[in-house]
Structure formats: structure tokens, C-alpha cells
Amino acid sequence: MPETARPVPFRGGGFRPVSKRGAGVVVFVLLLAVIEWGTRAGWISSLTLPRPSDVAATLVDLARSGLLWTHLAPSLTRLLVGSLLGVTAGIGVGILIGLFSYVRAGLIPLVAALFPIPKIALLPLFVIWFGIDEGSKYALIALGTFTPTVVATYGAVDNVDRTLVRMGQSFGLRWLSIVRKIVLPGALPGILSGLRVSIAIGIILLVAAEMLGAEYGIGAYILQAGSLYDLERLFAGVVILSSLGVVTSWAIGRLENWLLRWRS
Amino acid sequence: MELTVEKLTHRYGDVPVLQDINLHIPAGEILCVIGPSGCGKSTLLRMLGGLERPDAGQVLQRGSAPADCLNPLTFVFQDFALLPWRSVGGNISLVLEDHGIRGQAADTIICDVLARTKLGDFRDALPRQLSGGMKQRVAIARALAVNPAVMLLDEPLSALDAQTRELLMEDLIALWQRQPFTAVYVTHNLAEAVRLGHRIAVLSRRPGQVREVIEVDIPLSDRAPGDPHLEDLQSRLWQIMKDEAMAADQELLDA
Ligand SMILES: Nc1ncnc2c1ncn2[C@@H]1O[C@H](COP(=O)(O)OP(=O)(O)O)[C@@H](O)[C@H]1O
Ligand SMILES: [Mg+2]
């Protein structure tokens, strides 16, 4: 009996996410549309969720009155100064841990002890050390971004291909040249992906610090709205925060593409 | 410059890797080192180049390097060891920068070595854009750029396919004929050893000992693939190697 020919069934594919442009936007728009419909039709009570169109109107008002900038400017400054301090120190310490056995043995336990502390719990202490104003907020964000940066950086240095370091030595390169031309560029991908986590933590701490004591700032704005149970303004604040997250993550993505253009 | 290995012995922890190795590498000659995998060939080569310290014994260098030599003992690695973030030209300038060679002077050297390795058109390409054979040619160009007195090659062709290997072997022979260099060429491929070696040292399985050093007195230019003398020599080498390789294959890895 002649066998009938059948096509070999396909079993490959999958496990390889590719970027589908616009999918995220569709999910977003759909969700907003459902909420808008629900609040208008009445099966979502106005105490549960604000109407998206009202939140949008609040945002527009905020921008028109100039109040948006009044709150955004101090927040951005705090985030920038704090995370710049924390990330710079973190990369420096991470590289030292990656390169020197004694620094590694001495500092890894300390970093491990610092990492899980909810930094916000230290705010009262920071207020005493650095003052009630900007100082304590910078310190909080700096410490919060410092620890994840250290961990990401020394992990990245550890993962630099040792055969490249060996190659550098075999050509008689100076120690500093090996660090600067082989170890640092090799660790850069890991450092940059650590940066994403650090900045996200920085934003969380920024809001927390502003909620505990600030006149202006996105955190203060959300706190005021919350205590008045003004859902539109509360959600307007949340939208601003989300946008901040999206924008920083996009900026780091661009930075990666540019610095790591040798990758592919 | 010539190298002498004297009573070199080394162990990693409890595992003896090299035992009482004595070798002489005269100037202008290529010494091929063959042996079953894991017998300590790479370790021996790292010690020849000063990248690792032996437990006992020593490596001596005699004679001076040429005046314009920047790095007397220069490696070519099996996995190329190119910096992926630097272009072909940048990978070569890497080994010149520390000697203060920049700008015009560096340019002259880079153009010269790229021309010698037939890479003239690829100066601005990144390593990921190159085939395996081209990457190894870049690594060879980089080694030539420092004008080495001794080249230490660790299975430089093992990561390449057979056709590329043949082409690169001819390139290496041509380079040597243009300007004879001293070299230690580690390989586990007998065909490469009989084509390139003025002398061939056969190591035993781990712990590596020198089983035999065989001289090949046919000039490099007269050795073609399929030459009956070379085939004879190759099967002789295989007889020596066979028992070692089989025994090495039967050993438990960390016994
Ligand atoms: N840095 C190291 N530490 C411990 N063992 C090693 C190290 N390098 C090599 N070895 C061991 O020494 C033996 C010889 O290795 P190697 O010189 O790479 O052999 P080959 O190049 O001849 O294949 C192997 O068994 C390997 O596992
Ligand atoms: Mg090896």
C-alpha cells in the first residue's frame, strides 16, 4: 500500500519576542475606552475610578496654569541630582569591587546589608544628617540608586571575557589601558541594563520622599489630591509619574543603542 | 630570538599537567607542538609567553629582539580575542597606542599589516561583520603589527572550517617565507603540524611529557598537501599519538 506523503509538522518558532509596534498603545487605548464607557454607563462608580476624560482635562488645566512645571521642575531636579550621585558612586565602587580582591571581600557584605533596607525608612535619619530640604531627598535617591548600580556593575565586570584581558596582557598593555579599553567597554552592557533598574528605584524613592515632606513635587501633588479624595488629580499625578518612567526608560534605550552600536 | 624550556613542571591543584618538559626553539624556526586534548599544550604556551608561572623549571630567552620590536613574545589565540567594540583598524591600533604610536606612524603600520594579511578593504569593519577566517587574519595582522620576535600560536586554525584552514595555512607559510619568524605552533591537527613545523614535538597525554621531537627537513615551500613524504610522516605521528589519544579518551575527566 503506497504511503501518502504528508508535510512534516512545524514544531519550531516562539520563545523569541519580536517588537510589535503599536501593540502596547492598543492595549492602553482599549483599557481607557472600557473605563470611560464604564464610568459613563454607571457600572463603574465615580468613587472607584475617575473618568479618563476628566483626568485628561485636569492634566490640561495643570499645564495651562503653569502648576505642572511648578511641581515637575523640583521633582526632576531631585531625580537628576540624586541618581547622578548614586549612579556615579555606584559605578565607581562596582568597578573597584570587580577589580580588587580586598575591596571585594570588604565591601560585598556591606552592599548586601544595605540593599534590602527599605531606604525610605532611613528618611528621618537623613533629615537629621542632611537637613529637611533638598539634601535629605538627594541622599535618599542617591543611596537608593547606589546599591543596585554597584551590584550590576561588579557583576558586569566579572562577566567581561577574561580571554580579552589575557590578550591585553599578552601584548604588554598597561594596567590602566586594560581597565579603560577592555574591562570598561566590556562591562558597559551590564552597567546600562543595571541603570534601568536604578532609575526606576530612584523614581519610587523620589515620590516617597516628596510625600513625606515637600511643598512642591509630583509626590506632594499626589498626596494633597489623595487627602482630599480628589481622584482626578490623583490619577493625573500617577499619569505624570508613568510618563516619567516611560521617558527615562526610552532615553536609556537610546543611550544603549548609541553606546553599544557595535553589538548588532 | 630563541627560547629554551628547562625542566618545566606544573600542576593545577592535585592534577599534574606538565612534567619535566625540555624544549629548544631556535631562531627563525617553527616548532609545532601536538598532543591529545587536555595534555597541557595551552598551559605550556602560556608559560612560554609569560602569562603563567610554572611550579618548577624555567623558560629562557636568548638573543635580542629586532630593534623595532614592540612585544617580543606575541600570542595568536584560538578564539581570536578581538575587541568586538573596535573596528579592524582599532583592534590593531590597540596594541600600538601603549607604545605611543599614534596618528601617521600608526597608520603606516596598520596599512602595512592589513595589506600583508589581505585585509586592506576591511579596516573599518567591526569583528561581527567578519567571517571566522577573516577574524583570525585580523588577529594575525595584530600580532604582526608589534613585529614580534617569537609568535606563540594556540590552535589558531581550529575554530575554522577545512577550506579556510587550508587558505590561512598558505598565508602563514607565505608570511614566514617573506620574513622568517620564530614560532611555537600548538595544534592537535597532524596535517597542520607536518605542513608548518620545522620540528614537531609530540606530547604524551596528561601529565604532558615530550614523547618525541621529530625534525622535518623539507623546506616549507616544497610541502604541498598530499605529498607522500608528509603523508608518511603524518602516519608515523599518528602511530605515536594513537595510543596516547585512546588512553586519554578513556580517562575520567576529573579522576
Ligand atoms: N587555570 C586552570 N586551572 C585549573 N586547571 C586547568 C587550568 N587550565 C587548564 N587546566 C587543566 O589542565 C589541563 C591541561 O589544559 P590545557 O593546557 O588547556 O590543555 P590543551 O591545550 O592541551 O588541551 C586540562 O586538564 C585542564 O582542565
Ligand atoms: Mg588548548
Side-chain angles (χ1 to χ4, degrees):
Chain A
M1 183 181 93
E3 299 263 346
T4 51
R6 288 165 291 124
V8 174
F10 177 69
R11 297 181 286 180
F15 297 99
R16 238 189 128 178
V18 289
S19 86
K20 299 276 187 209
R21 279 183 159 272
V25 179
V26 170
V27 171
F28 216 63
V29 169
L30 220 61
L31 192 66
L32 287 182
V34 169
I35 297 172
E36 182 78 31
W37 172 41
T39 43
R40 280 182 194 275
W43 49 268
I44 299 179
S45 100
S46 61
L47 284 177
T48 328
L49 276 179
R51 204 172 280 171
S53 53
D54 288 346
V55 174
T58 312
L59 273 172
V60 171
D61 277 351
L62 204 59
R64 284 233 178 90
S65 65
L67 220 55
L68 177 64
W69 190 241
T70 317
H71 287 293
L72 204 53
S75 288
L76 287 178
T77 315
R78 285 164 193 149
L79 184 64
L80 199 72
V81 174
S83 42
L84 208 63
L85 289 173
V87 166
T88 317
I91 292 178
V93 171
I95 287 171
L96 293 179
I97 290 180
L99 291 178
F100 299 105
S101 310
Y102 276 107
V103 181
R104 164 176 300 245
L107 290 189
I108 285 191
L110 185 66
V111 172
L114 278 179
F115 207 171
I117 300 177
K119 308 297 177 303
I120 197 71
L122 299 179
L123 188 63
L125 194 65
F126 284 1
V127 167
I128 296 171
W129 288 354
F130 303 106
I132 186 88
D133 303 327
E134 301 304 297
S136 56
K137 298 184 183 65
Y138 294 159
L140 187 75
I141 296 170
L143 183 65
T145 50
F146 172 76
T147 37
T149 310
V150 170
V151 173
T153 305
Y154 80 68
V157 172
D158 287 352
N159 276 330
V160 173
D161 190 351
R162 292 297 124 155
T163 61
L164 294 181
V165 173
R166 222 45 87 234
M167 181 277 292
Q169 291 176 321
S170 81
F171 277 96
L173 300 200
R174 278 188 291 273
W175 184 86
L176 203 63
S177 298
I178 293 180
V179 172
R180 212 160 50 81
K181 297 171 186 170
I182 299 177
V183 176
L184 280 188
L188 202 57
I191 294 177
L192 285 176
S193 63
L195 198 60
R196 278 177 195 280
V197 180
S198 303
I199 301 293
I201 291 178
I203 295 177
I204 294 172
L205 287 174
L206 164 77
V207 176
E210 287 178 344
M211 283 183 162
L212 289 185
E215 193 178 352
Y216 295 109
I218 305 300
Y221 177 78
I222 291 178
L223 187 73
Q224 284 164 19
S227 53
L228 298 173
Y229 209 74
D230 186 342
L231 284 192
E232 280 89 26
R233 286 177 59 202
L234 190 139
F235 272 78
V238 170
V239 168
I240 295 171
L241 280 182
S242 298
S243 322
L244 196 60
V246 171
V247 168
T248 48
S249 149
W250 172 83
I252 293 172
R254 295 304 302 264
L255 194 68
E256 271 178 343
N257 283 346
W258 182 68
L259 285 176
L260 309 179
R261 52 192 182 283
W262 48 270
R263 275 210 301 204
S264 62
Chain B
M1 195 148 102
E2 57 182 66
L3 292 179
T4 311
V5 180
E6 281 182 357
K7 298 198 182 109
L8 191 125
T9 297
H10 191 72
R11 45 175 60 232
Y12 285 119
D14 297 333
V15 185
V17 179
L18 292 169
Q19 202 150 40
D20 199 28
I21 305 272
N22 291 290
L23 282 174
H24 179 65
I25 303 123
E29 274 197 15
I30 301 178
L31 171 74
C32 285
V33 177
I34 59 174
S37 96
C39 75
K41 303 182 294 293
S42 300
T43 309
L44 175 63
L45 203 67
R46 284 199 295 275
M47 287 168 179
L48 282 170
L51 286 182
E52 211 167 318
R53 242 193 277 272
D55 285 346
Q58 55 188 350
V59 179
L60 299 172
Q61 48 183 30
R62 205 166 284 127
S64 54
D68 51 353
C69 166
L70 302 175
N71 188 48
L73 305 172
T74 296
F75 279 88
V76 174
F77 299 91
Q78 178 177 359
D79 55 3
F80 324 130
L82 300 176
L83 302 184
W85 49 86
R86 283 194 179 220
S87 66
V88 168
N91 265 288
I92 297 169
S93 93
L94 173 82
V95 300
L96 301 175
E97 288 159 13
D98 267 26
H99 297 280
I101 300 176
R102 281 156 210 283
Q104 191 59 51
D107 213 53
T108 316
I109 295 178
I110 294 171
C111 286
D112 172 50
V113 295
L114 287 181
R116 276 157 74 188
T117 47
K118 304 176 202 153
L119 284 166
D121 296 337
F122 300 98
R123 189 172 170 163
D124 297 320
L126 285 170
R128 70 173 155 83
Q129 298 170 303
L130 304 179
S131 66
M134 299 244 276
K135 283 184 198 160
Q136 196 55 293
R137 291 227 292 273
V138 177
I140 292 169
R142 178 177 61 186
L144 293 174
V146 294
N147 206 358
V150 180
M151 289 250 256
L152 304 169
L153 304 107
D154 191 357
E155 310 204 16
L157 309 184
S158 293
L160 309 175
D161 60 73
Q163 292 86 347
T164 316
R165 199 148 55 203
E166 186 56 39
L167 288 174
L168 261 173
M169 207 140 52
E170 281 169 12
D171 288 346
L172 278 175
I173 293 172
L175 281 172
W176 187 87
Q177 277 165 339
R178 234 186 96 163
Q179 190 181 32
F181 49 83
T182 315
V184 180
Y185 186 105
V186 165
T187 178
H188 61 242
N189 183 320
L190 301 180
E192 284 173 27
V194 297
R195 285 286 297 285
L196 287 171
H198 294 98
R199 290 183 314 140
I200 301 170
V202 187
L203 295 193
S204 67
R205 68 179 184 274
R206 200 182 69 210
Q209 281 170 299
V210 181
R211 278 281 311 259
E212 210 167 328
V213 179
I214 294 173
E215 294 217 21
V216 189
D217 42 15
I218 309 171
L220 288 194
S221 48
D222 297 349
R223 303 183 193 177
D227 181 313
H229 287 297
L230 296 183
E231 302 261 304
D232 271 0
L233 181 59
Q234 198 173 325
S235 56
R236 227 176 90 207
L237 286 171
W238 175 232
Q239 281 311 321
I240 306 173
M241 287 267 298
K242 198 169 168 183
D243 306 332
E244 298 290 345
M246 264 164 59
D249 197 45
Q250 299 294 319
E251 274 169 8
L252 287 177
L253 270 186
D254 41 14

